Amino acid sequence: RQGRSERAIAKIVKRNRRTVSRIIKRGTAVVAGAVAADWVSTIDWEKIKLEVSRGVQINILAREHANGKISYVQFCREYNKKFPDHPTVTMKLVHKPGEKSFFDYAEGINIINCATGEITKTSLMCGVMAMSSLCYGEFTLTQKRDDLIRSMEHAFRFFGGVTPYVTVDNQKAAVDQAHWYDPDVNPGFTDFANHWGFAVIPARPYRPRDKAGNESNIGVIQRQFYQEVRDRHFYSLAELNTVFWEYLKKLNLNVMKDWGVSRSDRFTGEKHLLKPCPVSNWELAEWRSPKVHADCHVQVLKKFYSVPYKHVGQEMRVRITSKIVEIFDQDLNQVCAHARLLGKEIYSTEENHYP
């Protein structure tokens, strides 16, 4: 306190200068510890915990409440003492051969328009067999239902069959309303699933472990393929997918460290358990919900189709394909069907639909 240097103090007390330095630091730490102890008692730690649960980062809270009296590390240490993390208990999921597959999207690689230089973002659709981790993927321009369905059909053809159960993420292309226990799969995707013969099991919201095999393979692709082509420019979706499929061949043939065999080798044991693919792909359909007019017709895409008179005033479910317009009641019982009007004709009427 008198302002003497450590060297001068060492001469006065006849001790080594390093010993003097250590004792001075120890005294400083004791004083700092006392200041910290006083500071800790002034903080409303329950409020801090509430803010953290709302998503506020703890480094922001440290700046707001420490006021420069304590370091960020000490703030975190005190917080962790009061609210220690409890270990998370998980269950290992064991998948039977040929039972399930996972499908999900990830951010893709940009492509460049040669003429304009415009950059277009893409998405990576990844499909993985749950047991063997055999992987298929392709880049698409959107994550809409049409692109999702076509990509899944390509994946099933690649696998050589269909799994009884398919887990998808909660994107709007497949799921209308996400829910832990009773999610609503949209009718169009349900038709697609019925055509290919699998049951849809949406993953629970914010639970990526429900499709851990897919998340793992996407991570491998992002760490390997994305880095391999980081300095390369792609000018079309076809060019990007061609290069990616070459990489997938190597990925599926490479030996997996945890298993000592490749994905393709593991898939050999479950390939014969898959359900055969249908001969034709699913025809894309669009759904509408018009009301039956007083003249016994519903309006669909600016055309009018007749419905039995007893349904006048009711809301119907209409399924539109490239050739047929099918009309159902709210319980999805088919009421009637019409050839789709594509020319100048406006009305398609069956006389027996009138009273």
Side-chain angles (χ1 to χ4, degrees):
R1 290 173 184 161
Q2 295 174 5
R4 299 178 184 270
S5 68
E6 292 180 1
R7 189 180 301 275
I9 296 172
K11 288 181 179 180
I12 293 171
V13 299
K14 298 180 181 180
R15 291 290 184 272
N16 185 282
R17 187 167 59 86
R18 292 183 180 177
T19 302
V20 173
S21 176
R22 186 167 61 251
I23 292 173
I24 291 174
K25 288 180 179 179
R26 186 189 305 163
T28 303
V30 170
V31 174
V35 172
D38 293 340
W39 172 85
V40 167
S41 62
T42 63
I43 294 297
D44 185 352
W45 291 101
E46 292 296 334
K47 181 180 179 181
I48 298 292
K49 182 181 179 182
L50 179 62
E51 294 292 336
V52 171
S53 68
R54 290 173 175 172
V56 180
Q57 294 182 352
I58 196 168
N59 61 336
I60 297 176
L61 296 170
R63 287 198 301 269
E64 292 176 352
H65 296 273
N67 296 324
K69 296 179 181 179
I70 194 169
S71 69
Y72 167 66
V73 174
Q74 289 173 303
F75 185 91
C76 290
R77 188 179 294 121
E78 292 296 332
Y79 177 82
N80 291 330
K81 283 181 182 178
K82 295 184 178 297
F83 308 108
D85 288 334
H86 297 288
T88 302
V89 179
T90 62
M91 182 177 66
K92 180 177 175 58
L93 297 178
V94 179
H95 302 290
K96 297 179 181 178
E99 179 187 42
K100 185 185 291 186
S101 55
F102 303 126
F103 291 89
D104 195 8
Y105 275 104
E107 186 176 347
I109 295 174
N110 295 340
I111 57 176
I112 302 173
N113 188 311
C114 292
T116 64
E118 180 184 1
I119 296 176
T120 303
K121 292 183 178 180
T122 67
S123 297
L124 170 65
M125 200 293 301
C126 186
V128 177
M129 293 294 298
M131 195 281 286
S132 64
S133 292
L134 187 77
C135 182
Y136 172 83
E138 63 181 50
F139 291 91
T140 62
L141 294 177
T142 73
Q143 298 184 16
K144 294 182 179 179
R145 187 181 63 187
D146 293 358
D147 281 331
L148 172 63
I149 287 174
R150 289 295 169 244
S151 296
M152 290 181 66
E153 289 179 335
H154 296 162
F156 290 138
R157 302 286 182 193
F158 175 81
F159 297 148
V162 184
T163 56
Y165 305 102
V166 170
T167 295
V168 296
D169 204 1
N170 287 284
Q171 62 261 43
K172 286 295 184 181
V175 180
D176 282 340
Q177 182 65 48
H179 193 276
W180 266 52
Y181 308 107
D182 189 22
D184 291 331
V185 181
N186 69 52
F189 196 79
T190 301
D191 284 349
F192 163 67
N194 291 337
H195 178 82
W196 279 81
F198 63 83
V200 183
I201 306 179
R204 293 173 298 169
Y206 309 109
R207 288 297 181 272
R209 288 177 180 171
D210 286 0
K211 47 182 178 16
N214 198 297
E215 300 288 341
S216 175
N217 276 272
I218 288 177
V220 170
I221 293 169
Q222 290 174 332
R223 289 191 299 271
Q224 294 182 3
F225 178 72
Y226 282 33
Q227 302 309 313
E228 289 178 9
V229 300
R230 65 186 182 278
D231 296 324
R232 184 168 176 175
H233 299 299
F234 296 96
Y235 299 98
S236 70
L237 202 61
E239 177 190 4
L240 175 58
N241 278 323
T242 299
V243 175
F244 179 61
W245 289 331
E246 289 297 322
Y247 162 79
L248 274 186
K249 290 180 183 178
K250 295 184 293 183
L251 176 66
N252 287 324
L253 292 174
N254 287 342
V255 175
M256 303 171 70
K257 292 181 180 179
D258 293 342
W259 299 96
V261 294
S262 68
R263 291 171 171 81
S264 296
D265 292 335
R266 297 190 71 208
F267 180 66
T268 304
E270 64 176 346
K271 184 174 182 179
H272 67 283
L273 299 174
L274 299 179
K275 301 168 64 175
C277 296
V279 176
S280 60
N281 287 343
W282 180 72
E283 185 178 7
L284 297 176
E286 183 179 355
W287 287 83
R288 297 293 177 91
S289 299
K291 279 189 176 181
V292 183
H293 298 176
D295 62 357
C296 303
H297 287 75
V298 292
Q299 183 178 2
V300 180
L301 300 177
K302 299 182 179 180
K303 307 284 186 179
F304 296 87
Y305 301 88
S306 65
V307 178
Y309 67 92
K310 65 180 181 179
H311 297 288
V312 168
Q314 297 179 8
E315 186 177 275
M316 312 299 287
R317 299 296 303 277
V318 179
R319 182 174 181 268
I320 310 160
T321 65
S322 59
K323 296 181 180 179
I324 298 177
V325 173
E326 297 176 276
I327 303 174
F328 303 84
D329 60 20
Q330 288 299 310
D331 296 326
L332 292 182
N333 299 311
Q334 190 182 65
V335 174
C336 59
H338 295 263
R340 183 174 175 179
L341 299 175
L342 299 174
K344 295 182 179 180
E345 295 183 40
I346 298 178
Y347 286 87
S348 176
T349 305
E350 293 185 20
E351 296 295 333
N352 60 354
H353 287 170
Y354 286 121

